[in-house]
Every structure is written in C-alpha cells, then in structure tokens.
Amino acid sequence: METTIVKNVRPWGGAAIDVTIAAGRITGLGPATVWNDAKVIDGAGAILLPGFVEAHTHLDKTLYGMAWHPNNVGSTLVEKITNERDSKSRLGLDPARQSARQVALSVAHGTTHIRSHVDIDTEHGLKGVLGVMETREKYADVIDLEIVAFPQSGMLIRQGTKELMDEALALGAEVVGGLDPCSMDLDPKNHLDVVFGLAEKHGKPIDIHLHELGELGAFSMRLIIDRTRAHAMSGKVTVSHAFCLGHNDYLAVGRLLEQLAEAGIAIMTTGPAGYPCPPLIRTLDAGITVCSGSDGIRDCWSPYGNADMLERAIFLGMRNDLDRDADLRRAVEVVTTGGATVMGIEGYGLGIGDVADLVLIEGETLAEAVVSRRNRPLVMKRGKVVARDDAALFATE
C-alpha cells in the first residue's frame, strides 16, 4: 500500500502540519515519520482545503475549446433556451467531448466533485445525458460527477419529456431536475407532481431551477416547501438560484428562510451580478445549507465562466458585501463543505479517515488567497495528484 506524505501544509490557513495518505484516505495529521517507500510532497506552507465542489453547472453544453461563437441571443429566459436548443446541432456540440473539456478545466482549479444539470428535451432526447455519462465513466479517477436530469425546455409543454426524464433516471442520472413551475410550464401543481413523483419512484433527490422573481417566485417556493414536507424529503431537495429570496420585502424573505430551514431545503446561489439573489449570510444564519457553482461556462447563453470555484467565492463575497476575513471563510465553506453536504458526499473533509480529495493554495491567509486568486500548486483525487500549478495532468480531445 503506497503511502504519500504531504509536508508543511496549513489546513484552512491554520498552523502547518504534515498529512499522511494511504489507500486514498487521510491516515495521519501532524508530524509524519518518513518511511523509505513513502512518497513525499513538499507543500511549502500552502493552504490546504478539501477539494472544491462545483454544485451547479451544465457540462453538456459548454462551448469551451471550440471556435468562438458570436452571441446574439435575446435577453429573456425562453429566448436563451430556444436559441441554445437550436444551436446545438448547428454548432456540432458533442456533449462527451465538451463535458470532458470542462472537467479538465475544473480539476485544474481544484474541483474534485461536480453536480451537472444535463438537458433533456424532445428534440435532442438523451444525447446530453449519454455524453456526460461517457465522461463520468472515462474520468472517474479524477472527478466524481453527479448528473441531474434537467427539463431545460419545460416538462409539460413538450409532450414526451416526462418519459425521457424517467428513462434518464433509470439509466443512472442521480438527481431529478425541475424548472420554474409557474412561468415555464404554466402549471405548477402538475409540474411538481411529476418532479416529486419521479423522485419517489426512483428514490432520488431533487434540484429545481427557480428563476421566478418576487411574489411569483415566493409562491413557487412555498409550493416546493409544502411538497418537501409532504414527501418527507428533508435534506434531499435543493432550490437553485432562488432569485425570489432577493426580494426587497425583508419580513417576507425572513418567513421563507425560516420555512426552508424547517423543511431542510438547501439553496444554490452563484452570486449573480444581474439578478436579485439570496442574502448569503442571512441564509446561512437561518440554518440553511448553501452551495454554489459556475452555472453555464462559455455556452450559448453567456460567454463568461472559467470553472474556478475560488473565484466563485469572490463573486459570493462581492455580491454580498463580505469584507471581513471570517465572512470570506464562510464563502469558501459554501464552495466546499456546503456543496459536499448538498451532494451527500461521504468522507469529505480534512479529518482522519476522510477521502484525500485535496487542493493546495498559495497565500498568506485564506482571505488573502481568495481575493488574490492565488495559484493552486497541487490537486489530489483520492490521494493521486491530478493537477499542478493550475493545469490538469491529463488530456482530453
């Protein structure tokens, strides 16, 4: 059994220690005795974190690595969805190739786990799901990848989508997705009937995109809360984006936060610049698990994104006016332990017995490392080095 000792690293920016790894797990923390056959890595005083968790992205539709695609899409949600659905074939987007490229980009920046929403619609069927499943299998030694069966173009308004969702879950998609029950399908009751029905049938958790603003979004949120309680799914439901929690009615938002915490519903926020969004510290203080993600990366919606979850912590900090070092640490916890909790990752962390999914970050303190977007000299997956100096150690097409 090969032993690896990573010397002189600072967990969460604290005191320097050595980390001993064997069989892909952390077996020692503290001064390490170096055996003749042990592999030794000098951490050079870098900050040690558990691997980043990309808890919300769309691997199947990134254009990363392809020729530049001029973006002339309209501003509404339906315009973006329609443009993307129509563009996939025209641009020759291969979900397996493209998802692998984004995986390499994510790993290079220190991500060890990804939850990806993958489009399912009656035009492209399960092509995206099958492509991302191919990537999941091919790169299983460098990333843990979870697939959300996602009805991007609507569930009820496109007959046959429900059946495709059912098939994707039977094939191995791990999460049931949903989308704007009121504004997309115009039938919130039946939309949630399908989502929670599929979850119950397949024994899967749920992750629902909720872009709806203000009172409309709050109405949908209350319906999701009621369903979560009725189906006893505490700890198994995530609401992504949740723009309605950025509503300017302080007391109404507070009541929703209390209900979400009581129901055990998690929130995913990207810290967007252009939309209202959940107030991060208030949401965390309410006892709600919060995770984050890059969302789309260089796709037909938007040219932005680089899969760097350390930078995502900056966006969360800037969007929520987090200036104190302690609050910046909470932003980092969102992109690490928050995502791990939402994804139900076992053995995640920096304790004895935890899986050695680790990232080293240069920096004087954790807060300084975040705001300076510091280099990642080493990324490990189950104790194996998979990236150095912000570059993956494996190739994709």
Side-chain angles (χ1 to χ4, degrees):
M1 180 174 63
E2 182 179 80
T3 298
T4 300
I5 299 172
V6 185
K7 297 186 70 65
N8 189 20
V9 292
R10 297 178 293 132
W12 293 93
I17 63 169
D18 301 335
V19 179
T20 304
I21 299 166
R25 291 184 178 269
I26 298 171
T27 57
L29 296 168
T33 301
V34 179
W35 301 92
N36 290 336
D37 60 348
K39 179 181 179 181
V40 179
I41 297 174
D42 182 7
I47 297 168
L48 174 69
L49 294 179
F52 294 122
V53 180
E54 166 70 85
H56 186 106
T57 192
H58 298 267
L59 290 175
D60 59 309
K61 49 196 184 183
T62 181
L63 302 177
Y64 180 74
M66 296 176 63
W68 186 260
H69 168 62
N71 192 329
N72 300 306
V73 68
S75 60
T76 70
L77 184 67
V78 172
E79 285 175 319
K80 290 177 183 293
I81 291 171
T82 302
N83 174 71
E84 179 180 65
R85 190 175 62 244
D86 294 345
S87 296
K88 287 178 179 178
S89 297
R90 176 172 55 83
L91 296 176
L93 199 156
D94 180 340
R97 180 193 66 212
Q98 293 307 116
S99 59
R101 288 175 175 175
Q102 187 174 324
V103 161
L105 188 64
S106 292
V107 171
H109 292 314
T111 291
T112 56
H113 296 79
I114 294 175
R115 171 179 280 190
S116 176
H117 297 256
V118 180
D119 286 6
I120 293 172
D121 61 58
T122 52
E123 185 169 332
H124 297 281
L126 299 180
K127 182 178 179 181
V129 169
L130 294 174
V132 177
M133 284 182 172
E134 181 180 329
T135 293
R136 180 174 63 184
E137 181 178 355
K138 185 174 182 180
Y139 296 95
D141 60 336
V142 299
I143 199 78
D144 283 324
L145 202 167
E146 183 179 74
I147 294 173
V148 183
F150 179 48
Q152 175 74 89
S153 295
M155 184 93 73
L156 307 178
I157 58 174
R158 297 179 72 88
Q159 188 173 2
T161 303
K162 173 185 174 181
E163 290 74 18
L164 288 168
M165 291 276 292
D166 190 24
E167 187 177 351
L169 294 161
L171 285 172
E174 291 90 349
V175 184
V176 182
L179 173 69
D180 295 331
C182 291
S183 58
M184 178 57 69
D185 271 340
L186 309 179
D187 190 347
K189 176 188 178 300
N190 284 327
H191 179 92
L192 294 177
D193 280 348
V194 173
V195 169
F196 280 84
L198 287 171
E200 186 172 72
K201 176 181 178 180
H202 293 276
K204 307 288 188 182
I206 291 170
D207 192 330
I208 300 177
H209 281 58
L210 187 60
H211 306 98
E212 295 164 357
L213 300 170
E215 292 296 339
L216 181 62
F219 173 74
S220 290
M221 186 74 85
R222 288 191 291 269
L223 292 181
I224 294 168
I225 292 168
D226 289 344
R227 292 302 183 96
T228 301
R229 290 171 173 161
H231 287 261
M233 289 191 69
S234 176
K236 298 180 180 179
V237 176
T238 302
V239 177
S240 287
H241 302 303
F243 294 153
C244 63
L245 294 179
H247 192 38
N248 60 9
D249 188 330
Y250 185 89
L251 294 178
V253 169
R255 287 191 291 270
L256 277 178
L257 291 175
E258 289 175 2
Q259 294 166 4
L260 287 165
E262 181 185 351
I265 295 173
I267 294 295
M268 191 296 303
T269 178
T270 65
Y275 295 92
C277 64
L280 183 61
I281 299 301
R282 191 180 181 198
T283 303
L284 290 169
D285 285 349
I288 296 168
T289 299
V290 181
C291 62
S292 189
S294 304
D295 206 358
I297 292 178
R298 298 192 191 182
D299 56 19
C300 293
W301 288 51
S302 166
Y304 300 109
N306 62 2
D308 186 346
M309 293 305 292
L310 189 68
E311 184 177 76
R312 185 58 48 182
I314 295 177
F315 295 158
L316 293 172
M318 294 179 69
R319 185 66 175 83
N320 290 277
D321 196 25
L322 307 185
D323 298 324
R324 302 188 308 161
D325 285 24
D327 288 338
L328 282 171
R329 170 162 175 155
R330 297 186 80 177
V332 176
E333 289 170 348
V334 167
V335 301
T336 52
T337 56
T341 299
V342 166
M343 289 180 62
I345 301 169
E346 296 182 359
Y348 181 88
L350 299 180
I352 300 291
D354 287 337
V355 177
D357 292 340
L358 310 172
V359 56
L360 297 186
I361 306 172
E362 296 175 348
E364 180 182 352
T365 68
L366 182 58
E368 188 273 331
V370 172
V371 300
S372 301
R373 296 176 173 87
R374 294 299 293 270
N375 181 51
R376 268 125 287 180
L378 187 77
V379 182
M380 303 183 84
K381 182 64 181 176
R382 289 184 285 274
K384 172 188 174 184
V385 178
V386 294
R388 286 186 182 275
D389 297 317
D390 293 286
L393 300 182
F394 57 94
T396 64
E397 295 181 20

